[in-house]
Amino acid sequence: MSTTTVAEPHAGHEEHHDLGFVRTYLFSTDHKMIARQFLFVSLFFLLVGGILAGMVRWQLGFPGQPMPFGNLLPDTMAPGGIILPEFYNSLVTMHATFMVFFALMPMLAGVFGNLLIPLQIGADDMAFPKLNMLSFWITPVAGAIMLASFFVEGGAAGAGWTSYAPLSTSGEWTGVYMGQILWLVSLIIVGFSSITGAVNYVSTVINMRAPGMTWFRIPLATWSLFITAWLLLLAVPILTGGLILLLFDQTIGTAFFRTAGSGEPLLWQHIFWFFGHPEVYILILPAMGMVSEVIACRSRKPIFGYHAMVLALAAIAFLGWIVWGHHMFQSGMNPMLGMTFMATTMVIAVPSAIKTFNWLGTLWKGDIHFDTPLLHGVSFVSLFIIGGLSGIFMAVAPVDIYFHDTYFIVAHLHYVLVGGSLFGLFCGITFWYPKMFGRMMHEGLGKIHWVLSFIFYNLTFFPMHNLGVQGMMRRIYDPNQYEFLQALQPMNTFISINMFIFASVQAIFVFNFLWSLKKGKEAGNNPWKSNTLEWTVPSPPPHGNFPQMPIVYRGPYEYSHPDAEEDYWPQDMPPVSDTGGQSVGAPTPETVPPESVLGD
Amino acid sequence: MSHAAIATMDRSPMPGMKVYNNKLGMWVFLLSEVMFFTSLIGSYVILRFAHPEHWTDPGVVLNVPLTALNTFFLICSSVTMVKAFAAIEAGNQKALQMWLLATIIIGASFVGIQVVEYIALGGEGFLPALDAYHAVGRGNPHGGPALGGPLYGATFYAMTGFHGAHVSLGVIALIFVYIKSLRGGYTKENHQGVEVIGLYWHFVDLVWIILFTIVYLI
Amino acid sequence: MSEHEAPRYVLIWVVLLAMTLAEVGFAFMPLPKFWLATGLIVMAFYKAYLVAMYYMHLKWEPKRLWVMAAVPLPLAVIMVLAIITEF
């Protein structure tokens, strides 16, 4: 075979690239710039999703009252500032859609996958930089289509982010025609961003690791992103297929899911959730990986049970494929199938629990530095525990039959997605901001943002457990139409007020982010004294990342190692110095000379 | 080991998958394509189990002989593709170009025959839309009650249509590869593009082998 | 390796063609539907296996590559079989 059979090294980028504004900032193939692009786009869509949530909470907290600035909305949405029921359906649908597909996924996978993977494995860029650029640009294009759907006749999609058939197959009941079609088109397109990104991430991690970077020396952040990439690769195309069939039902008159002509609405649910369950692990695994890095680094301790953490990530990913029916216990599905899903769902709690205990074990007796990233990381753990516990309740089918489609589910999902993923993102952003932008975020503002967010987040979402237990259903425009729910109005108003405060508090984060870009303390290479490879290069790293490909001698969690001079031991620091300087002890099996580090 | 020695040693990445990046990338991409076709084909299998009355015996509505011939063509195009690859492995530019061109022509013919088939089927009332479906079967000019049901049409066009779209994109990509080959862009030492497009092309053939069987013969 | 590949390719081609004809013939035999379907699916997957192994070169690639390539298959099977139990 004349083609090379090993992953080819990439020449260092010694020559100065002067590409001009467009090629540097708009159409860049540099993974770090692409990460920044993803960051700005996804923060924008996080704002969009937040505004939509604010409107939902206005209606629930102050039903039938004109919304502040509501008069700016057209009469088809909110005449006199009072939200219409049809518009409310679009609000709940689009809030979730924007948050999941255009905020969380791009932030977790797009930002941190791009930023961290090449740097943490010692590569100079992704395997396919041009494909990476395409992968980014698909997202704002699809997002623009999704935004545009608000302004077509009939308004934006209103069948829930899960778009169940037969409600979604026809505008007859929602009043939405073009909006639903645009929703489908937008998601079909944005799927390609995930798939192409996943191709890049998987290929890069497999083939472009620096010498000595064996599989079990890869940092957990990269491990989690690698496994997430596999989930994206295999789950998103399933959704794409289903979306296409639903699009056919809406446009060319097929009846895959429409009940007329023997379509099967239940098939839609199965296809959607076969994607949908791996999707929720896509939304949490990167956050878990990042939190692992931060907790280990800021406790100055190795992660407790590194191998178990990796295996737990893999176990979650495997098991995540066989639990999807737990979203469908109430659908009328085959009860035997339902019982199988109940069993598998209970099993999947185990690897998550292992990870939780290991985070606690890492913190235990650590030399903990209580800075903003660590605070967010610990919040992630506690809030994820709450979300996970409510998940266990619902894993049990008889319990879920009561809780399904109530606010108990809304509480659960917001604990794992906001308490989990969003706080995990705050953890990641505050920790890696210095690497991305060369400056530290303001620590005082960071702590204020954290404590206020934590308090008002919990005040917003914890009471929803109670609302659900008392029978308040989700996606409902006017709970007061039911006498048994009228007593819950004060609680709904309480939640709404706290949500508005929680949302307002995010302005502190935005201010801190923007202010620190120019005024933050200069970061240097390694402000957190971390071991992983991204901290061995300048902040931000130059094009090409490393002057030459690093050699890795040890795992990423050698904090407070007895043989090391300092309380951290970077992965690329050679084991013995010939200048007699920082001697770090005799070579151990882990730190053999470079020729034999090419294990696997 | 001394720092000086470390600094000057040759560094290359971990062996990884032990295939070059572009090949690995194409394989990874093809796995996502497997899942995409699983979604469409899986839906077909499930809907057929749920409503078997929508389908007829093989050959009643669909043109098995023509499609068997088309299947033969697509398999031939896989052979021409692999011959093209073998040619550039041996450094034979002319043979590479010839076999690539053959693959393109056969691939385009496959799509062409499918289009012809679609038109004929449409004329016989075999359509995807619920209200339009009224398949009267092959060689039946006089009409009559509909054979099978609309799910037959809907699943047929969804699966074969997306397969055909993939073939078409493959033909377009092959044309780019062919043009590059005319300019001597591939050598015995470096012809990754030929191998990578070949993988895609064989995959498209593989999917068809399965589709032909479960759509036309079962 | 290239020396004995060329005849291999042609041989595989002949096998694929023969099996295609066999499938078409088999499909019209007067057997119960279940056996027809099973036989045809086995034949089709065997043809797919040949294309993957020989034309897509998996037979000569590192073993880890075809382990990776096999990953979607159990997922596809699980999805279809689980949902079929609904109907």
Side-chain angles (χ1 to χ4, degrees):
Chain A
M1 212 40 109
S2 59
T3 48
T4 51
T5 51
V6 289
E8 68 271 16
H10 211 83
H13 288 248
E14 300 86 11
E15 70 274 23
H16 176 59
H17 283 271
D18 190 6
L19 297 168
F21 180 83
V22 171
R23 287 294 309 279
T24 308
Y25 293 104
L26 288 183
F27 294 106
S28 172
T29 57
D30 184 315
H31 70 102
K32 302 179 290 295
M33 183 56 73
I34 292 173
R36 284 184 213 115
Q37 291 175 315
F38 265 118
L39 183 59
F40 287 109
V41 167
S42 54
L43 284 174
F44 168 74
F45 284 116
L46 186 68
L47 176 66
V48 168
I51 291 173
L52 296 171
M55 290 198 263
V56 171
R57 285 313 319 176
W58 176 267
Q59 167 58 26
L60 287 173
F62 306 93
Q65 293 186 40
M67 198 169 44
F69 302 108
N71 49 310
L72 294 174
L73 291 172
D75 281 354
T76 47
M77 295 180 188
I82 300 173
I83 296 169
L84 287 174
E86 296 80 7
F87 182 53
Y88 184 83
N89 292 341
S90 297
L91 285 173
V92 296
T93 303
M94 298 300 268
H95 160 71
T97 303
F98 275 111
M99 286 305 204
V100 169
F101 292 101
F102 294 97
L104 288 181
M105 283 172 83
M107 255 199 273
L108 291 159
V111 176
F112 289 101
N114 269 303
L115 177 69
L116 296 179
I117 290 176
L119 284 168
Q120 287 197 335
I121 64 173
D124 65 341
D125 208 304
M126 287 284 182
F128 311 114
K130 293 201 194 84
L131 188 69
N132 204 13
M133 178 172 77
L134 175 72
S135 171
F136 164 69
W137 274 105
I138 292 173
T139 301
V141 167
I145 295 174
M146 194 57 90
L147 275 175
S149 72
F150 273 111
F151 303 105
V152 298
E153 198 181 320
W161 87 283
T162 51
S163 197
Y164 279 10
L167 182 66
S168 58
T169 58
S170 158
E172 225 179 296
W173 303 287
T174 54
V176 177
Y177 294 88
M178 201 56 199
Q180 197 72 46
I181 292 174
L182 289 175
W183 185 88
L184 290 167
V185 168
S186 168
L187 290 185
I188 290 168
I189 292 174
V190 87
F192 287 101
S193 174
S194 294
I195 294 169
T196 53
V199 169
N200 238 327
Y201 296 0
V202 169
S203 306
T204 304
V205 173
I206 290 177
N207 259 11
M208 292 179 73
R209 288 167 287 133
M213 180 64 77
T214 60
W215 284 101
F216 282 103
R217 288 182 180 167
I218 296 175
L220 284 169
T222 296
W223 258 117
S224 68
L225 289 159
F226 176 66
I227 292 175
T228 300
W230 274 104
L231 293 176
L232 284 165
L233 187 79
L234 300 172
V236 171
I238 300 270
L239 176 69
T240 309
L243 292 170
I244 286 171
L245 297 181
L246 185 56
L247 186 63
F248 284 165
D249 270 14
Q250 286 183 352
T251 51
I252 66 175
T254 53
F256 292 103
F257 312 117
R258 294 194 285 145
T259 43
S262 307
E264 288 293 342
L266 210 52
L267 177 61
W268 166 261
Q269 289 194 36
H270 277 291
I271 293 178
F272 181 85
W273 287 116
F274 190 76
F275 151 80
H277 198 83
E279 166 69 6
V280 313
Y281 293 116
I282 289 166
L283 295 171
I284 199 74
L285 253 49
M288 289 178 161
M290 294 194 287
V291 164
S292 296
E293 297 297 343
V294 170
I295 287 184
C297 176
R298 306 323 286 144
S299 313
R300 316 310 292 162
K301 276 186 71 192
I303 198 85
F304 186 94
Y306 167 73
H307 285 80
M309 289 299 247
V310 174
L311 293 173
L313 285 170
I316 293 170
F318 272 117
L319 291 168
W321 289 101
I322 53 172
V323 298
W324 81 89
H326 67 228
H327 299 269
M328 295 170 57
F329 284 140
Q330 275 284 59
S331 62
M333 65 188 276
N334 179 346
M336 282 304 296
L337 193 60
M339 294 226 307
T340 316
F341 283 123
M342 177 168 101
T344 53
T345 306
M346 293 172 84
V347 171
I348 204 170
V350 174
S352 299
I354 290 173
K355 295 187 79 69
T356 306
F357 285 121
N358 285 13
W359 286 314
L360 298 177
T362 308
L363 288 162
W364 183 256
K365 293 200 172 157
D367 171 24
I368 304 175
H369 292 61
F370 286 96
D371 32 47
T372 308
L374 188 279
L375 291 169
H376 282 297
V378 172
S379 306
F380 167 90
V381 177
S382 61
L383 298 173
F384 177 72
I385 289 174
I386 296 176
L389 287 175
S390 58
I392 293 282
F393 288 12
M394 295 172 320
V396 182
V399 175
D400 186 65
I401 285 170
Y402 182 81
F403 283 140
H404 181 71
D405 268 351
T406 67
Y407 260 76
F408 195 86
I409 307 281
V410 177
H412 162 74
L413 74 93
H414 285 93
Y415 263 87
V416 284
L417 289 179
V418 183
S421 304
L422 188 66
F423 275 86
L425 281 165
F426 286 146
C427 174
I429 293 174
T430 52
F431 190 71
W432 277 287
Y433 183 100
K435 186 53 58 183
M436 287 181 95
F437 298 110
R439 293 176 183 274
M440 306 298 288
M441 290 182 85
H442 189 281
E443 186 59 24
L445 284 178
K447 290 196 162 96
I448 293 172
H449 165 253
W450 166 74
V451 72
L452 292 177
S453 292
F454 188 81
I455 291 170
F456 288 103
Y457 161 80
N458 278 295
L459 288 174
T460 303
F461 289 104
F462 200 83
M464 290 186 185
H465 292 104
N466 193 273
L467 288 179
V469 168
Q470 297 204 53
M472 180 172 167
M473 54 292 278
R474 64 188 284 200
R475 296 176 175 145
I476 187 167
Y477 171 75
D478 177 22
N480 293 311
Q481 66 186 290
Y482 299 110
E483 214 187 297
F484 78 101
L485 293 179
Q486 285 166 1
L488 301 177
Q489 183 58 58
M491 181 64 85
N492 267 310
T493 308
F494 174 78
I495 289 173
S496 294
I497 294 172
N498 281 295
M499 184 263 168
F500 298 147
I501 302 176
F502 172 66
S504 309
V505 164
Q506 304 317 306
I508 303 175
F509 178 80
V510 173
F511 175 79
N512 191 357
F513 191 101
L514 294 172
W515 179 90
S516 304
L517 284 175
K518 287 285 187 251
K519 300 286 181 72
K521 194 176 70 173
E522 283 204 17
N525 287 16
N526 194 356
W528 306 114
K529 295 199 173 6
S530 169
N531 288 335
T532 47
L533 291 177
E534 74 269 30
W535 303 104
T536 65
V537 292
S539 306
H543 191 54
N545 297 341
F546 303 94
Q548 56 178 333
M549 197 180 291
I551 299 176
V552 174
Y553 297 93
R554 63 190 65 81
Y557 298 112
E558 303 298 344
Y559 292 106
S560 303
H561 194 281
D563 292 345
E565 281 249 329
E566 308 213 25
D567 70 348
Y568 69 111
W569 201 0
Q571 288 189 272
D572 70 335
M573 188 181 283
V576 175
S577 162
D578 62 2
T579 62
Q582 275 199 314
S583 171
V584 287
T588 64
E590 272 249 290
T591 60
V592 291
E595 292 87 42
S596 42
V597 299
L598 290 181
D600 226 350
Chain B
M1 203 179 187
S2 72
H3 278 233
I6 290 170
T8 54
M9 72 166 264
D10 176 48
R11 299 159 183 234
S12 47
M14 297 293 280
M17 191 55 79
K18 298 188 175 143
V19 298
Y20 57 90
N21 285 3
N22 286 329
K23 189 194 294 201
L24 176 62
M26 177 53 80
W27 270 109
V28 173
F29 171 67
L30 291 178
L31 299 186
S32 78
E33 292 274 63
V34 169
M35 297 309 282
F36 174 70
F37 280 105
T38 297
S39 184
L40 299 182
I41 298 177
S43 295
Y44 156 73
V45 171
I46 290 159
L47 287 169
R48 189 157 180 182
F49 259 88
H51 300 283
E53 70 278 7
H54 280 242
W55 276 264
T56 67
D57 281 339
V60 171
V61 174
L62 297 176
N63 190 338
V64 172
L66 179 65
T67 316
L69 182 68
N70 223 7
T71 305
F72 164 68
F73 284 154
L74 202 59
I75 292 174
C76 288
S77 76
S78 256
V79 185
T80 56
M81 183 70 234
V82 87
K83 288 283 222 193
F85 177 67
I88 193 60
E89 286 253 281
N92 189 337
Q93 298 277 357
K94 277 274 171 264
L96 166 70
Q97 293 161 13
M98 180 187 80
W99 289 117
L100 280 175
L101 187 60
T103 311
I104 291 168
I105 291 172
I106 301 176
S109 310
F110 176 89
V111 179
I113 292 175
Q114 269 220 308
V115 169
V116 165
E117 189 200 0
Y118 275 18
I119 293 172
L121 286 169
E124 288 159 11
F126 184 73
L127 292 162
L130 169 62
D131 297 329
Y133 184 89
H134 196 89
V136 295
R138 294 184 51 215
N140 183 0
H142 304 295
L147 301 169
L151 287 177
Y152 193 6
T155 53
F156 171 83
Y157 285 106
M159 290 186 286
T160 60
F162 272 96
H163 175 263
H166 278 78
V167 176
S168 306
L169 288 173
V171 168
I172 292 171
L174 278 166
I175 290 173
F176 278 101
V177 171
Y178 176 64
I179 291 174
K180 183 168 172 176
S181 78
L182 290 175
R183 297 196 193 128
Y186 300 108
T187 63
K188 185 173 176 170
E189 291 72 33
N190 187 350
H191 48 269
Q192 292 185 3
V194 177
E195 186 168 19
V196 164
I197 192 62
L199 282 173
Y200 177 83
W201 191 255
H202 296 307
F203 175 75
V204 152
D205 182 24
L206 193 156
V207 171
W208 181 254
I209 283 170
I210 297 181
L211 271 187
F212 172 62
T213 304
I214 70 176
V215 172
Y216 287 81
L217 297 184
I218 292 185
Chain C
M1 184 172 38
S2 330
E3 302 80 52
H4 52 259
E5 267 180 18
R8 265 266 181 53
Y9 294 151
V10 175
L11 174 65
I12 298 293
W13 177 51
V14 171
V15 171
L16 288 170
L17 259 30
M19 288 196 70
T20 306
L21 289 168
E23 278 188 64
V24 176
F26 184 71
F28 293 98
M29 286 171 75
L31 289 169
K33 197 92 179 159
F34 174 79
W35 292 113
L36 280 177
T38 307
L40 286 170
I41 287 173
V42 165
M43 284 191 266
F45 274 89
Y46 183 67
K47 284 161 68 182
Y49 168 81
L50 289 177
V51 170
M53 278 293 146
Y54 290 93
Y55 290 165
M56 295 176 86
H57 255 163
L58 276 181
K59 195 171 158 85
W60 296 284
E61 301 286 12
K63 177 179 163 182
R64 55 187 65 183
L65 183 62
W66 64 256
V67 169
M68 187 184 89
V71 163
L73 299 174
L75 297 178
V77 168
I78 289 170
M79 180 181 139
V80 175
L81 288 184
I83 302 176
I84 279 181
T85 65
E86 287 276 41
F87 301 105

